[in-house]
Amino acid sequence: ARTIFGFHQAGASSAPSTQNYFFDFFIMRGLSNHAKVYDSRFNLWGNIRIGSSPQQVDASVGQFVATFAEKSAALPINQLAQSGEFLTGLGLNMKKFQQDNRIRMLEAVAFWGGNGSFTEPASRARIFKVPATTSTQRPDFDARFKNFPSNANYVGLVPPDRERFYRQYGGGIRLTSFEIDKPYAPPGSYLFTLGQDQLITEGGYKGAVAKLDVFYPLPIGKDDGRFKFLFLFGTVNMRISKPTNGTPLALAPAEATVNIYDPNVRVFSAPSARDTYRIGVGVDFVNLLNSWRGSMKAKAPITTTP
């Protein structure tokens, strides 16, 4: 199991990125009487990721690391959970490799789940000015937004008002690395799958999506794996299809006084069809708590009975 709280940058191809605090909980349990998952033939696993509202970070890397605990503690509760991803699946242990003190387990995995936002679409609206009829961008604008009303001076772009989470499923392989002589050390994992993800393919099942997900524990801490709690991770979702190349619209942002519900704002919604990525760093609280408890036991005085 791992329970990671950290900070990541997420975004999509040719689209603005955001920085968020996140919470990631992963658990794997063997479907057998074996004590270790790498000795079990079948494993059941699940993963939950929760992202906060976007955060504006303009500090240097050194300043951010030094004040991470303070800034994350100051995050309002109502901004903590703004989006999420939920996955569960089965793993078939195909091969176990042992080299010195390290065991690597190669699994065939299958998963199903969902992802999406917990916020109202209107709260994430972006509003722009409509190009003038004499503008060189007006033909491209009219081609993109067909039958645009003549009395609208602004266009508001919002995500779809979807009543269900975006579904996803797939299968592939996962390589998990364990250090058997370091009982406190968390495993690293490398997951590659092919499947379908409605968040990447315009809200429906419209082709294959490749997913690569890596969690790597940094080689720090003590010899037995205590305080090896710092993780780097990255995720990328790529649609397997021929891409389209369009001319971007350079629209001027609307004035701060313009609201999405104003009568001269025409609202448009289009599902996403872009590849996405996520990269960040986090702290594994399972390792941190177990390491602290192990240190306390090691310092406990030994008493004898006369």
Side-chain angles (χ1 to χ4, degrees):
R2 67 170 184 251
T3 304
I4 297 179
F5 181 76
F7 192 81
H8 68 189
Q9 175 171 305
S13 59
S14 301
S17 62
T18 60
Q19 294 81 40
N20 312 73
Y21 292 101
F22 77 95
F23 170 81
D24 181 283
F25 175 67
F26 176 87
I27 188 169
M28 182 191 297
R29 288 293 180 265
L31 297 177
S32 70
N33 294 325
H34 294 287
K36 305 296 184 182
V37 293
Y38 48 73
D39 291 326
S40 178
R41 183 62 172 170
F42 294 95
N43 294 311
L44 177 67
W45 61 275
N47 196 183
I48 298 176
R49 295 179 184 173
I50 303 295
S52 74
S53 62
Q55 305 294 310
Q56 184 64 39
V57 178
D58 54 6
S60 65
V61 174
Q63 291 174 332
F64 177 75
V65 172
T67 60
F68 174 75
E70 178 183 350
K71 290 183 178 296
S72 59
L75 182 68
I77 293 296
N78 61 352
Q79 297 182 16
L80 186 59
Q82 300 293 309
S83 63
E85 182 178 41
F86 317 93
L87 301 177
T88 187
L90 290 172
L92 170 63
N93 190 349
M94 298 189 299
K95 185 72 175 179
K96 183 175 69 173
F97 308 90
Q98 184 164 358
Q99 181 181 16
D100 299 328
N101 65 334
R102 190 179 296 274
I103 288 180
R104 294 180 175 90
M105 176 179 64
L106 181 63
E107 291 179 287
V109 298
F111 71 90
W112 177 90
N115 49 32
S117 174
F118 304 152
T119 59
E120 294 181 348
S123 64
R124 293 177 287 155
R126 294 183 298 158
I127 309 175
F128 301 93
K129 295 180 180 179
V130 175
T133 54
T134 57
S135 172
T136 56
Q137 292 197 88
R138 189 60 188 240
D140 291 332
F141 180 88
D142 291 336
R144 185 81 58 86
F145 303 99
K146 300 183 183 301
N147 301 319
F148 196 84
S150 59
N151 61 340
N153 301 320
Y154 303 92
V155 57
L157 306 180
V158 299
D161 186 11
R162 189 179 174 93
E163 61 183 3
R164 294 178 178 86
F165 288 117
Y166 294 95
R167 304 295 197 262
Q168 60 174 307
Y169 69 90
I173 58 173
R174 176 168 54 211
L175 181 67
T176 309
S177 179
F178 304 87
E179 297 179 86
I180 56 179
D181 64 338
K182 298 180 180 180
Y184 293 93
S189 64
Y190 310 83
L191 173 70
F192 175 78
T193 62
L194 286 173
Q196 292 188 307
D197 187 342
Q198 294 178 342
L199 184 63
I200 311 299
T201 55
E202 303 176 272
Y205 295 127
K206 299 180 181 180
V209 174
K211 176 191 291 286
L212 177 64
D213 194 45
V214 178
F215 272 80
Y216 175 70
L218 292 179
I220 60 174
K222 298 184 179 295
D223 292 339
D224 59 358
R226 280 182 294 162
F227 301 106
K228 189 176 181 178
F229 55 81
L230 197 60
F231 270 84
L232 295 179
F233 80 95
T235 302
V236 62
N237 296 285
M238 298 180 295
R239 183 176 181 179
I240 309 300
S241 65
K242 183 180 179 180
T244 58
N245 299 299
T247 301
L249 289 172
L251 302 180
E255 297 84 354
T257 56
V258 178
N259 298 296
I260 191 65
Y261 49 78
D262 288 346
N264 60 345
V265 178
R266 177 69 167 91
V267 178
F268 277 89
S269 176
S272 176
R274 298 177 183 271
D275 296 344
T276 63
Y277 76 92
R278 180 191 300 122
I279 186 170
V281 61
V283 173
D284 180 10
F285 284 102
V286 171
N287 177 270
L288 195 59
L289 179 60
N290 288 337
S291 299
W292 177 77
R293 293 175 61 187
S295 298
M296 293 299 101
K297 290 180 180 180
K299 293 179 181 179
I302 300 176
T303 58
T304 59
T305 303

